[in-house]
Amino acid sequence: MEVDRFDLIVTIVNKNTCEPILKASKKAGAEGGTIIYGRGTGIRETKTLLGIPIQPEKEIILTIVSQDITEKVHQAIMNAGHLDKPGAGISFVLELKKVSGICHLCTLDQAPDKQEG
C-alpha cells in the first residue's frame, strides 16, 4: 500500500496581504491554509512612529499539500505574494514525516471501506 507524502509550505507576509496568496494556492490545488498572526524582528522590520519603535504585524500561512503538487502550489504562492521583491515576505517548504487528521487528502486506496480484512 502506497502512502501519500506531504509537505508543509510556510509563508510569512505582511499583515492583510494573505488573501491573494490563499486564493492562488487553492487555484493551484491546495485544499486551504491556516493563518497565524505574528510580528517581525528582521532588519527590514525597524520602523518608528514619532521615534517609538513599531512592531510590524505578520501573517503566517501554513499549507499542507501532497508532494506531487508542492512545486505548483509554492510557485503560485511566490507569484501571488510577489515574494521575489525585497520585504514582501518569505516562503519555504518542509517535508512532513507524519500527518494525522487530514484523511480527505489521503489516497482512496487507504479508505477503511476499501481495506481487506
Side-chain angles (χ1 to χ4, degrees):
M1 176 168 50
E2 186 177 320
V3 177
D4 279 349
R5 304 289 301 189
F6 296 97
D7 286 329
L8 171 65
I9 303 173
V10 179
T11 308
I12 305 168
V13 293
N14 294 320
K15 187 175 179 187
N16 298 322
T17 60
C18 73
E19 287 305 317
I21 293 169
L22 287 169
K23 286 180 184 176
S25 68
K26 285 182 181 180
K27 188 174 181 180
E31 297 275 327
T34 299
I35 303 166
I36 302 171
Y37 298 99
R39 60 187 171 101
T41 62
I43 60 171
R44 297 186 196 282
E45 312 300 335
T46 309
K47 295 182 182 177
T48 60
L49 177 63
L50 301 173
I52 302 168
I54 299 171
Q55 303 252 341
E57 295 176 321
K58 301 291 181 182
E59 292 174 327
I60 303 154
I61 308 160
L62 306 176
T63 309
I64 296 176
V65 295
S66 180
Q67 285 184 343
D68 61 337
I69 64 167
T70 297
E71 187 57 37
K72 181 179 179 183
V73 174
H74 189 249
Q75 191 60 53
I77 288 170
M78 298 285 294
N79 293 340
H82 307 287
L83 300 183
D84 57 338
K85 295 186 170 53
I90 185 172
S91 184
F92 53 91
V93 177
L94 301 171
E95 183 176 354
L96 300 177
K97 290 176 83 170
K98 292 186 181 183
V99 178
S100 301
I102 56 168
C103 296
H104 62 283
L105 292 180
C106 298
T107 61
L108 295 175
D109 297 355
Q110 297 171 348
D113 59 344
K114 299 249 179 180
Q115 292 179 352
E116 293 181 38

